[in-house]
């Protein structure tokens, strides 16, 4: 049996995501991918001023990771900008699924992400879905 490959996280990506966490701009997204040849989690794309509904149209079918800074309006009127890690489970070979799952945990720990959500289908990524998930962190 093959051993589980857990990809390292690119140092530039770690710095970028830490900077990303402290920005005050709203609706920013980073689409992250795994460079299988180098076994490295890297930045694939960045988007500015993008809604969850528009973001789902930008997601590559076979890439599982998105980090999204979302302008969240709380019920009491407060505004926060949580950094959300969204993991989808793309349809792929079992070895790749295991690599994605192990690398997801590595990325979450390395960048200290706390709002981690999983979706089965990128079509599920809507503003309503994200607000519902964030509602647990009041």
């Amino acid at each position: 049996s093959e051993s589980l490959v857990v990809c390292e996280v690119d140092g530039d990506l770690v710095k970028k995501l830490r900077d990303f966490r402290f920005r005050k701009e709203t609706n920013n997204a980073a689409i992250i991918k795994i460079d299988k040849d180098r076994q490295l989690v890297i930045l694939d794309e960045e988007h500015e001023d993008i809604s969850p509904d528009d973001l789902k149209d930008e997601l590559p079918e076979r890439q599982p990771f998105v980090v999204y800074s979302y302008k969240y309006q709380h019920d009491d009127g407060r505004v926060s900008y949580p950094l959300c890690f969204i993991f989808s489970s793309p349809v792929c070979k079992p070895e790749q699924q295991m690599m994605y799952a192990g690398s997801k945990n590595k990325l979450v720990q390395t960048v200290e992400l706390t709002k981690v959500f999983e979706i089965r289908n990128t079509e599920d990524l809507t503003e309503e879905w994200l607000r519902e998930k964030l509602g647990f962190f009041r």
Side-chain angles (χ1 to χ4, degrees):
S1 95
E2 291 184 41
S3 61
L4 174 63
V5 173
V6 176
C7 298
E8 290 300 314
V9 181
D10 181 57
D12 291 340
L13 175 62
V14 172
K15 182 182 179 334
K16 178 77 123 170
L17 291 179
R18 287 196 173 134
D19 291 347
F20 200 58
R21 169 179 283 150
F22 296 108
R23 294 177 3 161
K24 288 299 179 197
E25 291 88 349
T26 61
N27 296 336
N28 300 298
I31 297 174
I32 299 163
K33 73 175 186 177
I34 291 180
D35 181 331
K36 287 182 277 209
D37 296 333
R38 297 189 301 164
Q39 295 185 348
L40 196 62
V41 181
I42 60 172
L43 178 67
D44 187 32
E45 296 177 41
E46 280 187 89
H47 297 276
E48 301 246 346
D49 195 27
I50 189 167
S51 72
D53 293 313
D54 290 339
L55 178 60
K56 77 177 168 197
D57 295 334
E58 296 294 325
L59 294 178
E61 204 172 287
R62 302 255 185 260
Q63 291 301 330
F65 306 143
V66 175
V67 176
Y68 187 47
S69 177
Y70 175 68
K71 182 179 180 180
Y72 182 59
Q73 182 91 31
H74 297 265
D75 293 337
D76 63 5
R78 291 177 299 121
V79 175
S80 63
Y81 301 88
L83 194 59
C84 306
F85 179 75
I86 302 166
F87 173 73
S88 65
S89 301
V91 177
C92 56
K93 297 177 190 168
E95 306 84 55
Q96 274 184 289
Q97 286 180 336
M98 289 181 3
M99 179 180 64
Y100 288 152
S103 299
K104 170 193 113 173
N105 294 336
K106 176 80 171 180
L107 179 63
V108 166
Q109 291 169 357
T110 301
V111 188
E112 301 171 352
L113 298 165
T114 58
K115 292 170 180 63
V116 179
F117 310 123
E118 188 167 334
I119 57 176
R120 290 286 172 204
N121 183 334
T122 55
E123 288 302 310
D124 296 338
L125 179 56
T126 63
E127 187 120 20
E128 182 179 328
W129 175 85
L130 188 55
R131 289 189 59 74
E132 179 183 312
K133 294 292 185 187
L134 288 170
F136 292 107
F137 292 93
R138 293 175 198 193

